[in-house]
Amino acid sequence: MKITDVQACVIGRPEPHSGGSVWTFVRIYTDEGLVGTGECNSAGPAASGFATKEAILTLKPRLIGQDPMNVGPLYEMLRRSGRYGGTSNAPIIFAITGIENALYDIVGKALGVPVYQLLGGKYRDKIRLYADCHAGEDESPQAYAEKAIEAVEDGYSAVKFDVDHTGVGKLDRFNWTVGAKEMSHIINLVQAVREAIGYEIDLAIDCHGQFDLPSAITFTKAVENLRLLWVEEPVPAENIDALAQVKAATSTVICTGENQYTRFEFLELLQRQACDIIMPDLAKAGGIMEAKRIAEIADAFYVPIAPHNVSSPLGMAAACQVMASVPNFLLLEFHGRDITWWEDLCDGDKPFIENGWMQVPNKPGIGVELNDEVAKSLLWNGDTYFD
Ligand code: MG
């Protein structure tokens, strides 16, 4: 089998609080008629959204004529041959991620097995999710508590809230020091959610890498008694030693990784004892097999993996395939509860999500396909559909 063409398109629509719901898809065509589709992050503000697509099309000539069953060597060829062009960085590693996903979709279809079967089998049949929650314009503790209760009533056993967009956003946006008034406000928000949901629901808090070191330490210590599932990115991602200082200063569980890519960056995080849980974004970090490598490196440190996820059902199905195949999976983010058309975008065994869980697809390949009609109606900013 030979690769005959590689195409990409961008699909999505800005929705209130939908975050990264502008997705790049890669489609790889073969001379045997098999077609694979993979998803990756669009690398950039929603206003543009085409950086990853451009990177995919730049890599296309390296793939034409190659055997798509050779995913490992093709992945390493793309990664290594572009090293001086920045293959460890966005958007090229995102492009390689989408290509690698599309190749695994082809291999699974060619062999008639779901991707988890190519990864050694599955430890679980369904994937536990947590609900990413937004209180909207209302920044009151009551509004946060109500949103948390809504998610729990939908069946979720874990919820996550952002605290950096609240009163903190009114501060200096360059030093990100959390003053006494704002610190009290965000601690009140976390307390209100915990009181509303009790201690049998998991609660994670995201700081989006926005706080300075003293603010991060003050905050994570102040919420120690609230037994959080984790505090996410309490400081920016660039300085691992600063994050390690936060972790050393508090008993609050520290999680990071949505801005780290490939096994090498996660190995460094773990060796430097900078976090307790890793959260790679599987539409960014390198691909399906790279995610398995990252998870297994973490497993050797007794560290769980709880991937960041803002993907469509296709990218999320790929995440389910690989998270089914690793022992130390904890739970997966679901960011699309506010997106009314989220389930409609793809075909497969529905509903994809029920009571806070996602079934691991059993169809060959990734197990979920774009619905062409819906996808075409959601093309981003004048883009065309795989041509
Ligand atoms: Mg985050």
Side-chain angles (χ1 to χ4, degrees):
M1 186 159 40
K2 296 271 185 275
I3 296 171
T4 55
D5 199 6
V6 178
Q7 294 293 345
C9 69
V10 182
I11 290 169
R13 197 165 64 191
E15 300 262 335
H17 310 298
S18 60
S21 61
V22 178
W23 305 301
T24 298
F25 293 89
V26 189
R27 194 159 269 183
I28 297 181
Y29 300 82
T30 65
D31 60 354
E32 295 188 9
L34 275 178
V35 174
T37 309
E39 178 179 337
C40 49
N41 187 285
S42 294
S48 53
F50 292 108
T52 302
K53 177 177 174 175
E54 287 299 318
I56 291 163
L57 297 178
T58 302
L59 296 169
K60 171 177 165 174
R62 297 183 186 275
L63 292 162
I64 302 296
Q66 301 280 357
D67 179 355
M69 303 294 278
N70 251 344
V71 186
L74 289 178
Y75 172 75
E76 279 302 293
M77 177 270 290
L78 292 176
R79 210 176 60 76
R80 294 181 188 220
S81 64
R83 180 174 290 164
Y84 294 99
T87 39
S88 296
N89 296 297
I92 302 179
I93 194 66
F94 300 178
I96 293 173
T97 300
I99 290 167
E100 191 261 20
N101 275 246
L103 291 170
Y104 268 111
D105 194 36
I106 291 174
V107 176
K109 288 169 177 169
L111 300 176
V113 294
V115 167
Y116 69 74
Q117 210 69 69
L118 305 171
L119 304 174
K122 59 180 173 177
Y123 289 85
R124 52 193 68 83
D125 295 320
K126 55 183 187 173
I127 293 295
R128 184 184 169 213
L129 306 177
Y130 71 85
D132 184 72
C133 299
H134 297 268
E137 295 303 309
D138 189 347
E139 295 182 359
S140 69
Q142 294 81 358
Y144 271 57
E146 281 165 21
K147 287 289 173 188
I149 295 285
E150 273 176 30
V152 172
E153 286 175 352
D154 282 351
Y156 288 89
S157 61
V159 297
K160 185 171 89 179
F161 282 87
D162 306 333
V163 291
D164 60 302
H165 295 311
T166 63
V168 177
K170 298 183 181 73
L171 291 185
D172 183 321
R173 282 213 168 248
F174 292 98
N175 69 25
W176 290 104
T177 299
V178 187
K181 186 172 173 217
E182 289 73 24
M183 184 65 78
S184 297
H185 177 61
I186 65 174
I187 292 167
N188 284 341
L189 294 176
V190 182
Q191 273 171 337
V193 173
R194 179 51 96 197
E195 279 166 24
I197 63 177
Y199 279 86
E200 294 188 6
I201 298 291
D202 279 310
L203 171 58
I205 297 295
D206 193 353
C207 304
H208 286 118
Q210 306 278 32
F211 296 169
D212 64 12
L213 181 62
S215 301
I217 291 174
T218 301
F219 174 62
T220 53
K221 287 179 70 71
V223 294
E224 282 175 345
N225 63 325
L226 298 174
R227 206 207 299 156
L228 298 180
L229 178 63
W230 69 67
V231 166
E232 178 172 324
E233 292 196 302
V235 288
E238 293 88 349
N239 188 328
I240 293 173
D241 290 330
L243 184 64
Q245 279 184 267
V246 179
K247 174 171 142 52
T250 179
S251 63
T252 293
V253 175
I254 301 298
C255 180
T256 199
E258 71 180 271
N259 294 303
Q260 266 91 11
Y261 320 124
T262 78
R263 57 197 182 272
F264 303 104
E265 293 189 12
F266 284 91
L267 179 63
E268 192 177 5
L269 275 176
L270 293 160
Q271 284 177 323
R272 286 157 77 174
Q273 300 181 25
C275 61
D276 301 290
I277 298 176
I278 58 163
M279 43 152 307
D281 186 317
L282 304 191
K284 295 162 79 173
I288 285 169
M289 189 61 82
E290 194 70 12
K292 186 171 169 72
R293 292 188 191 108
I294 290 166
E296 292 189 338
I297 290 169
D299 192 45
F301 286 82
Y302 312 131
V303 164
I305 179 167
H308 178 260
N309 170 59
V310 294
S311 292
S312 89
L314 195 144
M316 205 159 159
C320 287
Q321 294 285 351
V322 65
M323 287 300 104
S325 82
V326 299
N328 52 328
F329 167 71
L330 176 59
L331 77 184
L332 173 67
E333 180 167 13
F334 180 44
H335 201 270
R337 289 171 65 243
D338 296 336
I339 305 174
T340 53
W341 43 270
W342 190 86
E343 288 251 351
D344 301 334
L345 181 61
C346 291
D347 296 327
D349 292 329
K350 292 192 177 179
F352 296 129
I353 291 174
E354 203 165 23
N355 296 321
W357 295 80
M358 184 158 175
Q359 288 290 331
V360 180
N362 281 305
K363 289 182 161 48
I366 288 172
V368 163
E369 297 287 346
L370 282 173
N371 178 295
D372 292 337
E373 195 181 328
V374 177
K376 284 176 186 170
S377 75
L378 291 162
L379 282 164
W380 179 250
N381 210 12
D383 202 13
T384 53
Y385 195 60
F386 296 121
D387 62 18

